[in-house]
Amino acid sequence: MQQNKTASQQKSISPACWVPTAYFAMGLPFIAINLVSVFMFKDLGISDTQITLWTSLIMAPWTFKFLWSPFLEMYRTKKFFVLVTELLSGVLFGIVAFSLFFDYFFAISISTMAIIAFSGATHDIACDGVYMAELNKENQAKYIGVQGAFYNVAKLVANGGLVAMAGTLAEHFGAIEGASIEANKGAYTSAWMIIFAVIAVIMVLIGIYHIKILPSSQIPSTTKKTTSEIERELMTVIEAFLTKEHIFYYICFILLYRLAEGFIMKIAPLFLRASRDVGGLGLSLTEIGTLNGVFGSAAFVLGSLLAGIYVSRFGLKKTLFTLCCIFNLPFVAYTFLAVVQPTNVYLIGTCITMEYFGYGFGFVGLTLFMMQQIAPGKHQMSHYAFASGIMNLGVMFPGMASGYFSDLLGYRNFFIYVLIATIPAFLITYFIPFTYDDSKK
């Protein structure tokens, strides 16, 4: 009776009270590990090769999270896993902050971030589970935009505000822009320690907030499936995925569509931060935080919205190649910046904004293709998760190698070869077959 009463009370909690914070907490660890840490390691003297290899490799849990998602149904509730992962990630970010004062900070922080990645991927599974379990279809549709908005707010806060804040703090602690890494290391260590401590506090506070606010009407099942039953079901779902029509072609398409982005994702911020005498642009953290976090994020959202309108009007089959072009061609902006090395921050900002707009516009094409051509069928949700995992592999592997090629070739030649890496995406997209009817209704 008490259980039913509690469930009823939690059902009455407005989704507006927890959907924004839940999806902000979903985005913050991913952005902090994938993007913000790149700037930190660069400022603390780690090579591009090491940064790109390890910060790409530790993203693997977000790729393979579908493998353990069925097992979360066997224990406790979805809310339980959301709370545990938020609080755990907060504590672990605190360890990352504390590790910066040790000589072997890179090994300690990367190892800790790998655990955060597993925690964050598990949080994604559980958070989406709460969303689907606690909201009816009407509210799911109503708050789907809030999901995406606050995930991007996390990107704006972390890759924009916190990166800019790191620059301000470093200056406060005595860093001099353009001085040697050794001369500035103490200041940047203190600055980045504070930034990751702030991230830790945010995650812990959200976890504490969700203890009371996050709803959980889920009642653990008394007839749970065994591990062997879940494993058999997982194998059945995987087999069904691999026997879909055109699936080999589709897997190649997913991997190649973002190939160039995979190479450029980690190197672009390192290039912006690197000094001009090694071919970079020498921008300050404050400038990068503003350009990426504010103007870049705004351009990404605008591109996504316009692409949605474009596809809804003409259909995916007619627009997919155009979307691929708009996704990949703006990478020429970084080639221009590497060749010319302009000093005008407005020109640099225009190039960065153009690339973010193209990314937002073109990414819609890949997402919709996975939803409409790969996922449909008996196991739609699972097959979309598989496709998303393969998509992440297509970014992770080139990202791991990007630092090596950048150090080998130099920034200028590296970005030229990135443009060559877009060619496979154009070819496979142009000839791709459609399994399901895409005629405009």
Side-chain angles (χ1 to χ4, degrees), residues 39-368:
F39 293 111
M40 178 182 73
F41 291 134
K42 181 72 172 179
D43 288 336
L44 298 182
I46 306 300
S47 71
D48 288 6
T49 300
Q50 291 283 75
I51 293 172
T52 55
L53 172 63
W54 290 107
T55 59
S56 296
L57 183 60
I58 62 176
M59 305 311 291
W62 275 286
T63 298
F64 299 108
K65 63 186 180 182
F66 65 86
L67 292 176
W68 67 86
S69 60
F71 297 94
L72 298 186
E73 300 286 353
M74 298 174 62
Y75 308 102
R76 307 297 293 263
T77 64
K78 298 176 180 69
K79 176 178 178 176
F80 171 81
F81 287 107
V82 170
L83 297 179
V84 167
T85 52
E86 287 173 353
L87 295 171
L88 176 62
S89 294
V91 172
L92 292 172
F93 273 120
I95 293 175
V96 171
F98 184 68
S99 73
L100 300 185
F101 291 103
F102 292 91
D103 290 337
Y104 298 100
F105 73 90
F106 185 66
I108 299 171
S109 57
I110 281 291
S111 300
T112 306
M113 286 180 184
I115 303 173
I116 296 174
F118 182 81
S119 174
T122 304
H123 177 277
D124 290 9
I125 299 166
C127 189
D128 285 336
V130 171
Y131 185 87
M132 290 185 286
E134 301 300 328
L135 301 184
N136 57 33
K137 289 185 178 181
E138 180 182 350
N139 277 331
Q140 286 179 18
K142 180 179 178 181
Y143 285 94
I144 191 69
V146 177
Q147 270 192 29
F150 276 84
Y151 190 94
N152 278 290
V153 167
K155 186 174 184 178
L156 175 62
V157 169
N159 202 38
L162 292 181
V163 169
M165 181 179 171
T168 302
L169 286 170
E171 291 178 7
H172 172 75
F173 289 120
I176 301 174
E177 199 67 36
S180 69
I181 291 175
E182 285 303 317
N184 285 335
K185 191 171 183 179
Y188 279 119
T189 296
S190 298
W192 283 113
M193 184 274 292
I194 293 174
I195 294 303
F196 274 84
V198 168
I199 296 173
V201 171
I202 291 173
M203 291 301 299
V204 170
L205 290 177
I206 291 176
I208 294 172
Y209 173 75
H210 284 163
I211 292 174
K212 181 68 175 178
I213 295 299
L214 195 69
S216 181
S217 59
Q218 179 187 2
I219 300 174
S221 173
T222 57
T223 57
K224 290 184 179 298
K225 296 177 181 178
T226 65
T227 300
S228 59
E229 288 175 331
I230 291 178
E231 289 175 348
R232 284 196 296 271
E233 288 183 7
L234 183 60
M235 292 306 298
T236 299
V237 173
I238 293 174
E239 182 181 356
F241 179 80
L242 295 176
T243 54
K244 283 177 175 280
E245 187 177 6
H246 306 307
I247 192 60
F248 177 74
Y249 196 114
Y250 289 169
I251 289 174
C252 292
F253 167 73
I254 295 170
L255 291 171
L256 293 175
Y257 193 92
R258 299 180 68 189
L259 178 65
E261 182 209 348
F263 280 113
I264 209 171
M265 179 184 289
K266 302 286 184 179
I267 297 301
L270 296 173
F271 161 70
L272 296 176
R273 191 79 181 102
S275 61
R276 289 182 171 270
D277 57 355
V278 296
L281 294 186
L283 297 182
S284 69
L285 289 174
T286 303
E287 291 170 328
I288 296 172
T290 302
L291 294 176
N292 279 345
V294 179
F295 296 102
S297 296
F300 174 85
V301 172
L302 178 62
S304 299
L305 293 174
L306 292 179
I309 297 171
Y310 176 58
V311 176
S312 65
R313 181 173 181 180
F314 297 103
L316 183 61
K317 189 170 186 177
K318 291 182 179 179
T319 60
L320 185 59
F321 184 72
T322 304
L323 292 167
C324 177
C325 292
I326 295 176
F327 182 81
N328 284 282
L329 287 177
F331 294 139
V332 73
Y334 280 101
T335 307
F336 168 78
L337 292 176
V339 171
V340 178
Q341 286 189 282
T343 56
N344 188 308
V345 71
Y346 296 105
L347 176 58
I348 296 171
T350 300
C351 291
I352 292 173
T353 301
M354 180 179 74
E355 192 273 327
Y356 267 94
F357 177 86
Y359 177 72
F361 197 99
F363 191 74
V364 168
L366 180 57
T367 303
L368 286 177

